[in-house]
Every structure is written in structure tokens, then in C-alpha cells.
């Protein structure tokens, strides 16, 4: 038997075993109980429109604030990481390693509770503590993305700009960074998708009607109804937010490959 034929037989055997396993699982599950426990249409209907106008709205607001702040701070950290000044590089490396190495949940707790206890004051604003915590964490990841994008721009671009009399900072702002952001759009879009899901961690800061997000909404509704249907609805709304962003990232990545 040839290697190709043997590989085909193994592949078909794997397919058959997988189908048998899925079929056995489908027969074993009590679908009526599953539907009653987590797929009740009446409870799902009760979640609307409040889950969109309150929880989803707050999730989007936290995401926008966190992403905007993280992008600005990440750009600053990335430029410090590329700086010729050693102290700036050390600070940037320390920041990136710290907030990428510490769990995001711990950072959120420190921002929300640790700093107010230490300083006697909290970050102002309804969305302030959560948005700042998300921005600080997101900046550590975005900084590396931005640094990689800047380094991907051919060095000849900077050299040409300097030969025309531009200062290093002006050439970076006018020539290099705009080109780098074209390369960074797909990975930054992926960071945005991750940030949407990370808003679920903000529930540890305490929730009011003005700040409730999708995960806490689903949890509260589940506790109230003693049924998991609200959690499934919350997951569906998350998908409504993240799937279009994921498709956008894939489209931008394909377009970037075509233009290069």
C-alpha cells in the first residue's frame, strides 16, 4: 500500500470515529432537559431590549475607552522602546513585561481598589476605573504590535526623510508611523476583539446599572431566573460584537497582502 493510500485510509478512519463519537454524544444528551435549562425562548425574549441598551452599550463604551487609551499609551511605550535613550528603553521594557506578565484581573483589582486605598482617592468618572485599567493592560500588548509595525517599515524611508532635512521626530510622525499603522491595522483589530471580551473582568469592581456589562448581566439574570438561558443570550450578543470585528481583521489582512 502506498503512503498516499495509507494516509487516506487513516484520514477516513479518523473521520468515521469522529462521526461515531459525535453521534453517540448526541444520543446520550437529554436535549429536552438542555433546552429547558439553558435555551428557553421566553427567558431569552425577556432579556431584550435591555441587554442591548444597557449591558451591550456599556461593554462597547468600556471597549472604546480602553482601546483609545491603550492605543495612545501603547504608541508612547513603543516609541520609548525604540528610543536611543537607555532609560526610556528600560522603562518601556519594564512596563511591557510587568503588565503582560501580571494577570489582567489583578491589574484591574489594583486600579479599582489598591490605588484608592493607597492614595485615598479613586479615578473619577462612571467608566473611569474600568477604562483606565483596560487601557493600561491593552497598552502593554499594543506597544509590541506598534513596535513591530514601525520596525517593519523599510529603513530607507527614514533615511530618505532625513536626507530631505526632516528631524527624526518629524520623519517618524509624518513618514514612518503612518506607514506602520497600515501594517498594524489587522493585529490591532484582533486586540480590539480581545478587549471586548476582557470587559467581562470589570465585574469584580462592583456593578451598578450605569456600568453593568454583558457577563454580569447574564450572571445576574441567571441568578434571578435559576436558568442559564441569560448566559447563552449574553454569549450571543458577544458574538454579534466580535464576529464582525474578526471578519474585518481578516479582510484587512488580505487587503494588506494584496497591496504589498
Amino acid at each position: 500500500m502506498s503512503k498516499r493510500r495509507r494516509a487516506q485510509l487513516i484520514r477516513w478512519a479518523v473521520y468515521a470515529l469522529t462521526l461515531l463519537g459525535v453521534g453517540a454524544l448526541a444520543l446520550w444528551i437529554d436535549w429536552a432537559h438542555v433546552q429547558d435549562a439553558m435555551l428557553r425562548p421566553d427567558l431569552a425574549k425577556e432579556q431584550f431590549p435591555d441587554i442591548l441598551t444597557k449591558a451591550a452599550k456599556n461593554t462597547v463604551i468600556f471597549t472604546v475607552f480602553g482601546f483609545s487609551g491603550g492605543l495612545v499609551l501603547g504608541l508612547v511605550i513603543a516609541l520609548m522602546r525604540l528610543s536611543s535613550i537607555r532609560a526610556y528603553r528600560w522603562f518601556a521594557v519594564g512596563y511591557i513585561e510587568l503588565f503582560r506578565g501580571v494577570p489582567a484581573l489583578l491589574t484591574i483589582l489594583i486600579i479599582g481598589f489598591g490605588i484608592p486605598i493607597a492614595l485615598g482617592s479613586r479615578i473619577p468618572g462612571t467608566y473611569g476605573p474600568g477604562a483606565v485599567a483596560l487601557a493600561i493592560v491593552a497598552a502593554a500588548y499594543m506597544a509590541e504590535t506598534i513596535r513591530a509595525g514601525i520596525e517593519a517599515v523599510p529603513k530607507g524611508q527614514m533615511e530618505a526623510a532625513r536626507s530631505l532635512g526632516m528631524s527624526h521626530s518629524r520623519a517618524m510622525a509624518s513618514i514612518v508611523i503612518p506607514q506602520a499603522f497600515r501594517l498594524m491595522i489587522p493585529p490591532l483589530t484582533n486586540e480590539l476583539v480581545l478587549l471586548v471580551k476582557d470587559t467581562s473582568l470589570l465585574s469584580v469592581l462592583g456593578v451598578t446599572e450605569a456600568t453593568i456589562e454583558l457577563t454580569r448581566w447574564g450572571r445576574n439574570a441567571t441568578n434571578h431566573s435559576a436558568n442559564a438561558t441569560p448566559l447563552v443570550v449574553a454569549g450571543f450578543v458577544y458574538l454579534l460584537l466580535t464576529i464582525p470585528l474578526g471578519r474585518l481583521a481578516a479582510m484587512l489582512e488580505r487587503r494588506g497582502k494584496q497591496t504589498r
Side-chain angles (χ1 to χ4, degrees):
M1 185 181 297
S2 65
K3 291 183 178 180
R4 182 177 180 183
R5 179 61 177 169
R6 189 183 302 114
Q8 288 178 339
L9 290 177
I10 293 174
R11 185 165 57 248
W12 284 110
V14 172
Y15 291 160
L17 290 174
T18 303
L19 289 175
L20 287 174
V22 172
L25 182 63
L27 293 174
W28 175 74
I29 293 175
D30 185 351
W31 291 106
H33 178 71
V34 170
Q35 180 177 358
D36 184 64
M38 57 190 306
L39 297 172
R40 284 178 52 182
D42 57 322
L43 289 178
K45 186 177 180 180
E46 289 178 3
Q47 307 309 309
F48 295 93
D50 287 348
I51 193 172
L52 298 178
T53 58
K54 295 179 181 179
K57 182 195 73 173
N58 289 334
T59 296
V60 171
I61 290 174
F62 277 124
T63 301
V64 171
F65 285 166
F67 185 81
S68 302
L71 185 62
V72 174
L73 182 57
L75 177 59
V76 173
I77 297 297
L79 293 176
M80 293 176 70
R81 180 75 170 81
L82 297 171
S83 174
S84 59
I85 301 175
R86 184 176 300 177
Y88 289 171
R89 294 200 305 271
W90 286 353
F91 176 84
V93 170
Y95 181 97
I96 292 169
E97 295 300 327
L98 173 64
F99 289 106
R100 290 203 307 178
V102 173
L105 182 59
L106 183 59
T107 302
I108 291 171
L109 288 172
I110 292 174
I111 297 297
F113 298 113
I115 290 180
I117 292 174
L119 301 181
S121 61
R122 65 187 298 273
I123 298 172
T126 302
Y127 302 102
V132 169
L134 289 176
I136 288 174
V137 174
Y141 293 90
M142 290 186 192
E144 286 295 271
T145 300
I146 295 171
R147 179 187 63 81
I150 291 174
E151 290 182 337
V153 176
K155 294 183 179 180
Q157 298 290 318
M158 173 62 76
E159 294 172 356
R162 294 301 300 274
S163 67
L164 294 175
M166 289 187 180
S167 64
H168 184 275
S169 58
R170 183 181 176 187
M172 183 67 72
S174 302
I175 305 298
V176 177
I177 291 179
Q179 294 185 64
F181 265 98
R182 291 181 57 188
L183 304 174
M184 291 185 285
I185 288 177
L188 287 178
T189 306
N190 290 328
E191 292 290 344
L192 180 60
V193 172
L194 295 175
L195 200 59
V196 172
K197 296 182 290 184
D198 283 347
T199 58
S200 62
L201 301 175
L202 298 178
S203 61
V204 299
L205 297 180
V207 173
T208 66
E209 187 173 353
T211 61
I212 191 169
E213 38 71 42
L214 283 170
T215 298
R216 178 50 71 94
W217 176 280
R219 180 180 176 182
N220 289 351
T222 294
N223 292 338
H224 178 73
S225 63
N227 191 281
T229 299
L231 290 175
V232 176
V233 175
F236 174 74
V237 177
Y238 270 119
L239 291 176
L240 291 179
L241 296 174
T242 57
I243 288 179
L245 291 174
R247 294 300 88 203
L248 176 62
M251 182 189 70
L252 293 173
E253 186 173 0
R254 288 195 301 268
R255 180 175 296 179
K257 290 180 179 179
Q258 292 174 358
T259 56
R260 288 199 294 267

